[in-house]
């Protein structure tokens, strides 16, 4: 579906009309990109929108423009517009961007409890997703009470909608509220995890009356087979051996039909769309690969570790594609990853190279070092702090057994320090926290120290810096890996996955391959055993 197929959105004077209507003028200190009013027009002319948009388009500003286009907020009753947002995006994204519009000042309230919802007099509510994360009975009472108090929304907006699972309590309560909503806007930058069931749940949620598919029929129609798989890595390093449901390949014969259904309901927006591309400038990525050799004693230690476990690794190869086999294989590979990236008794050559690159990049701007493992993040941060001084380095992570959990408030404070304190030029970030809600526009360099099993997380991490509004005209991207080790195998396989990765919403007749976004553990085993 062509994004700008609407005459109202394409009208040459629309941006002028919108600026006049909401009181924003060219002389104003507030600036927005020229395509953003067009998005607002698109959303305003349809009662239901699902937008899978590229990251960095400024969805919050577009949403604020939509609200101002549709409503005179002074006349709205409390809770008439409800925006459901991930917790970490409340203050640093939605509240900040909405309050840039003078018409919305004093008309927005952050709702964190049922009591605040009942007492609120503001027409616009920003609600965290955790507000709806309750047990079924409690969720039901909240929904009923809000409806009884006539504080259900007429316009419901859900950001990062891919977080919601169809069988979750918070999704159930939204379904109750959805029945009373006349306008709906669902936003996501990452509807790309290959989950056909989730796409069905969103379509059924958005179009409850005219989407007539039954879930079992929808899944049976478009998937090739049923299987189960395990998401082994949760958080940062926790190994989990409990299989979860997995909906695999989209049938190549059904792609045209499926694509037609999805494209008629979901608007896919890319940064290279002509209507967007003409109004933005993306920094140019300059990509480098650094192939490093382990020190001789370190190499000997790694090879000894491989030989010690060779018989067990060979035995696992035969059933590495099963649930139990994958779990065992990951447990066997974990010590090899540790031995290369953050060993106790050696200083990896890529750690020294990481420090050298930070040294070389610091005069050009700030450097982000992405790590996958908790131990890697700790080791990199400690090394850089010793080399450059702790006042110049920060670290953002979720939970580290040695130093405890990092609260969302602390992460936000640390991120702000990294972005705005001139004397801080190196930040070590967990790559699992880089999928959403973080803008690293001040960074001019990225270093990937170790890579995750999920290739899409690398693309998401890059998009934190290579996005509209970046300060620098270029971003240096450096991949560090140590040759003939699991480090190099993970890098090569990750690159291959990114090359073949096709998003679920982008299927066409010429793109019929389906590949998981996750590196296959059996491929890693093969390469390790080959040496």
């Amino acid at each position: 579906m062509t994004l700008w197929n609407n005459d109202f959105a394409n009208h040459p004077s629309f941006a002028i009309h919108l600026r006049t209507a909401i009181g924003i003028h060219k002389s104003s200190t507030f600036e927005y990109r020229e395509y953003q009013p067009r998005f607002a027009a698109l959303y305003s002319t349809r009662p239901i929108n699902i937008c899978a948009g590229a990251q960095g388009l400024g969805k919050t500003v577009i949403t604020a423009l939509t609200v101002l286009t549709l409503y005179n907020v002074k006349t709205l009753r409390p809770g008439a517009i409800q925006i459901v947002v991930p917790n970490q995006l409340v203050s640093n994204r939605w509240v900040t961007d909405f309050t840039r519009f003078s018409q919305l000042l004093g008309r927005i309230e952050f709702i964190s409890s049922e009591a605040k919802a009942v007492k609120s007099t503001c027409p616009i509510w920003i609600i965290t997703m955790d507000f709806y994360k309750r047990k079924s009975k409690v969720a039901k009472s909240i929904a009923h009470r809000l409806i009884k108090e006539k504080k259900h929304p007429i316009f419901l907006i859900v950001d990062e909608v891919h977080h919601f699972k169809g069988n979750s309590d918070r999704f159930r309560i939204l379904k109750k509220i959805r029945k009373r909503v006349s306008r709906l806007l669902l936003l996501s930058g990452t509807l790309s995890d290959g989950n056909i069931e989730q796409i069905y749940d969103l379509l059924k949620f958005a179009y409850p009356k005219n989407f007539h598919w039954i879930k079992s029929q929808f899944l049976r129609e478009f998937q090739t087979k049923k299987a189960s798989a395990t998401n082994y890595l949760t958080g940062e390093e926790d190994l989990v051996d409990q299989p979860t449901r997995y909906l695999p390949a989209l049938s190549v014969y059904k792609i045209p039909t499926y694509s037609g259904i999805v494209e008629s309901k979901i608007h896919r927006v890319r940064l290279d769309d002509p209507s967007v591309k003409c109004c933005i400038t993306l920094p140019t990525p300059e990509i480098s690969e650094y192939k490093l050799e382990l020190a001789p004693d370190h190499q000997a230690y790694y090879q000894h570790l491989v030989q010690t476990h060779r018989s067990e690794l060979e035995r696992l190869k035969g059933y590495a594609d099963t649930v139990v086999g994958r779990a065992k294989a990951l447990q066997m590979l974990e010590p090899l990853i540790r031995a290369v990236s953050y060993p106790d008794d050696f200083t990896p050559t890529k750690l020294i190279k990481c420090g050298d690159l930070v040294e070389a990049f610091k005069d050009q701007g700030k450097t982000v070092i992405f790590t996958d493992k908790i131990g890697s993040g700790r080791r990199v941060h400690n090394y850089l702090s010793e080399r450059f001084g702790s006042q110049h380095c920060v670290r953002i992570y979720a939970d580290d057994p040695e130093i405890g959990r990092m609260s969302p408030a602390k992460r936000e404070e640390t991120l702000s320090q990294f972005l705005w304190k001139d004397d801080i030029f190196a930040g070590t970030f967990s790559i699992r926290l880089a999928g959403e809600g973080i803008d690293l526009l001040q960074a001019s360099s990225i270093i990937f120290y170790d890579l995750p099993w999920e290739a899409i997380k690398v693309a998401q991490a890059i998009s934190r810096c290579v996005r509209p509004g970046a300060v620098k005209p270029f971003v240096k991207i450096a991949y560090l890996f140590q040759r003939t080790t699991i480090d190099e195998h993970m890098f090569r396989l990750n690159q291959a996955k990114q090359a073949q990765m096709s998003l679920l919403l982008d299927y066409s007749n010429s793109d019929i391959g389906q590949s998981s976004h996750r590196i296959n553990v059996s491929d890693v085993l093969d390469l390790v055993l080959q040496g």
Side-chain angles (χ1 to χ4, degrees):
M1 182 176 183
T2 304
L3 182 63
W4 311 124
N5 63 349
N6 186 286
D7 291 338
F8 179 51
N10 275 322
H11 195 284
S13 62
F14 171 74
I16 298 173
H17 291 318
L18 181 61
R19 280 195 297 270
T20 303
I22 64 178
I24 294 179
H25 303 280
K26 283 291 186 182
S27 59
S28 172
T29 56
F30 177 80
E31 295 181 1
Y32 58 86
R33 304 179 192 115
E34 289 298 326
Y35 63 82
Q36 289 175 332
R38 293 180 172 232
F39 272 97
L42 189 74
Y43 295 165
S44 301
T45 52
R46 294 192 305 251
I48 299 173
N49 291 281
I50 306 176
C51 179
Q55 297 175 3
L57 291 174
K59 293 191 286 288
T60 53
V61 172
I62 294 166
T63 305
L65 289 170
T66 304
V67 168
L68 291 169
T69 303
L70 288 169
Y71 303 105
N72 177 359
V73 293
K74 296 179 181 179
T75 64
L76 293 177
R77 59 172 171 75
I81 300 172
Q82 294 182 20
I83 307 170
V84 183
V85 184
N87 301 0
Q88 70 272 22
L89 301 187
V90 171
S91 59
N92 68 347
R93 181 72 57 82
W94 283 89
V95 171
T96 299
D97 282 351
F98 264 56
T99 52
R100 293 163 77 181
F101 295 84
S102 59
Q103 297 89 331
L104 300 179
L105 284 173
R107 306 188 187 279
I108 304 167
E109 186 168 359
F110 167 44
I111 304 295
S112 57
S113 68
E114 182 182 356
K116 289 190 73 173
V118 172
K119 293 178 181 178
S120 175
T121 58
C122 289
I124 302 174
W125 292 357
I126 296 181
I127 304 171
T128 69
M129 288 183 175
D130 279 353
F131 179 74
Y132 292 128
K133 196 175 182 180
R134 311 289 179 85
K135 298 297 182 183
S136 299
K137 291 182 179 179
V138 179
K140 182 177 179 181
S141 69
I142 293 173
H144 286 176
R145 184 167 185 185
L146 291 180
I147 292 170
K148 184 179 179 180
E149 297 280 344
K150 295 185 178 180
K151 291 191 174 182
H152 54 83
I154 58 175
F155 188 12
L156 178 64
I157 301 161
V158 184
D159 189 22
E160 305 296 355
V161 72
H162 57 275
H163 283 295
F164 285 90
K165 308 302 180 185
N167 60 351
S168 67
D169 288 329
R170 53 186 178 182
F171 201 67
R172 290 192 190 103
I173 186 174
L174 281 180
K175 285 181 181 178
K176 296 180 186 296
I177 294 175
R178 167 72 182 97
K179 294 178 181 178
R180 307 231 171 196
V181 168
S182 56
R183 279 195 168 273
L184 182 69
L185 173 58
L186 306 179
L187 301 168
S188 177
T190 53
L191 276 177
S192 56
D193 62 354
N195 193 329
I196 300 174
E197 184 173 15
Q198 185 181 55
I199 296 295
Y200 173 86
D201 289 336
L202 289 181
L203 293 177
K204 190 65 178 177
F205 177 78
Y207 305 95
K209 295 181 180 179
N210 59 7
F211 190 71
H212 300 299
W213 288 85
I214 297 172
K215 180 182 282 192
S216 59
Q217 293 176 339
F218 186 84
L219 302 182
R220 194 162 53 240
E221 179 74 13
F222 296 113
Q223 66 186 18
T224 59
K225 61 182 179 178
K226 290 184 178 180
S228 64
T230 300
N231 179 16
Y232 300 101
L233 296 178
T234 61
E236 288 184 298
E237 281 188 284
D238 301 327
L239 294 178
V240 179
D241 192 18
Q242 296 179 350
T244 57
R245 191 171 183 192
Y246 170 66
L247 295 169
L250 179 66
S251 170
V252 295
Y253 305 106
K254 296 294 184 178
I255 284 172
T257 306
Y258 173 85
S259 180
I261 292 172
V262 170
E263 287 182 4
S264 66
K265 304 293 185 183
I266 298 177
H267 311 285
R268 185 73 178 151
V269 186
R270 293 179 172 278
L271 291 175
D272 58 3
D273 186 292
S275 297
V276 175
K277 190 176 181 179
C278 66
C279 304
I280 65 171
T281 302
L282 284 174
T284 303
E286 300 178 2
I287 302 174
S288 302
E289 302 172 10
Y290 293 90
K291 311 171 190 178
L292 306 166
E293 300 283 352
L294 287 179
D297 53 345
H298 193 176
Q299 181 70 35
Y301 171 74
Y302 173 78
Q303 292 299 333
H304 174 73
L305 201 59
V306 173
Q307 293 303 321
T308 301
H309 297 291
R310 176 172 286 275
S311 60
E312 181 68 14
L313 292 171
E314 288 177 339
R315 187 178 68 82
L316 284 171
K317 235 180 82 171
Y319 66 107
D321 287 330
T322 67
V323 171
V324 175
R326 245 190 317 270
K328 292 286 187 183
L330 281 165
Q331 290 173 345
M332 294 298 297
L333 292 174
E334 198 69 25
L336 299 182
I337 295 172
R338 174 171 184 156
V340 171
S341 295
Y342 56 107
D344 293 330
D345 302 324
F346 302 95
T347 300
T349 50
K350 68 174 180 178
L351 183 60
I352 299 172
K353 185 64 177 180
C354 179
D356 293 344
L357 290 176
V358 171
E359 178 78 46
F361 294 157
K362 70 178 184 178
D363 291 335
Q364 302 169 10
K366 298 175 183 289
T367 299
V368 178
I369 304 97
F370 284 117
T371 61
D372 181 56
K373 303 300 180 186
I374 297 172
S376 295
R378 185 192 314 127
R379 187 74 180 272
V380 170
H381 176 66
N382 291 343
Y383 175 80
L384 295 178
S385 295
E386 290 175 6
R387 181 164 172 174
F388 300 108
S390 59
Q391 71 274 21
H392 300 302
C393 308
V394 296
R395 179 188 173 202
I396 293 181
Y397 58 95
D399 196 0
D400 188 331
E402 290 195 5
I403 57 180
R405 181 175 179 80
M406 192 178 205
S407 68
K410 181 64 176 175
R411 286 203 297 269
E412 186 176 332
E413 178 188 349
T414 305
L415 175 63
S416 179
Q417 290 175 348
F418 173 77
L419 293 176
W420 307 115
K421 288 188 102 176
D422 292 337
D423 58 341
I424 295 177
F425 53 78
T428 305
F429 287 18
S430 163
I431 199 169
R432 297 178 184 278
L433 299 178
E436 60 200 30
I438 292 180
D439 285 330
L440 300 174
L441 300 178
Q442 304 297 322
S444 60
S445 308
I446 302 172
I447 298 173
F448 287 100
Y449 185 81
D450 57 353
L451 297 176
W453 291 92
E454 302 88 346
I456 196 170
K457 291 190 181 296
V458 176
Q460 290 173 339
I462 292 174
S463 72
R464 300 299 98 197
C465 303
V466 182
R467 64 195 290 134
V471 174
K472 304 290 183 179
F474 62 88
V475 174
K476 293 181 180 293
I477 301 174
Y479 293 93
L480 305 180
F481 61 90
Q482 291 163 139
R483 294 184 65 251
T484 68
T485 69
I486 193 172
D487 219 18
E488 182 175 13
H489 307 329
M490 291 289 288
F491 171 75
R492 297 299 180 201
L493 292 171
N494 194 288
Q495 293 295 294
K497 280 293 180 186
Q498 289 194 61
Q500 65 183 239
M501 197 162 53
S502 55
L503 302 185
L504 184 65
L505 299 181
D506 295 332
Y507 280 113
S508 64
N509 293 328
S510 60
D511 179 17
I512 59 175
Q514 164 79 2
S515 64
S516 168
H517 298 152
R518 187 179 177 83
I519 294 173
N520 193 326
V521 68
S522 61
D523 292 340
V524 180
L525 279 174
D526 286 340
L527 293 171
V528 168
L529 291 170
Q530 290 170 18

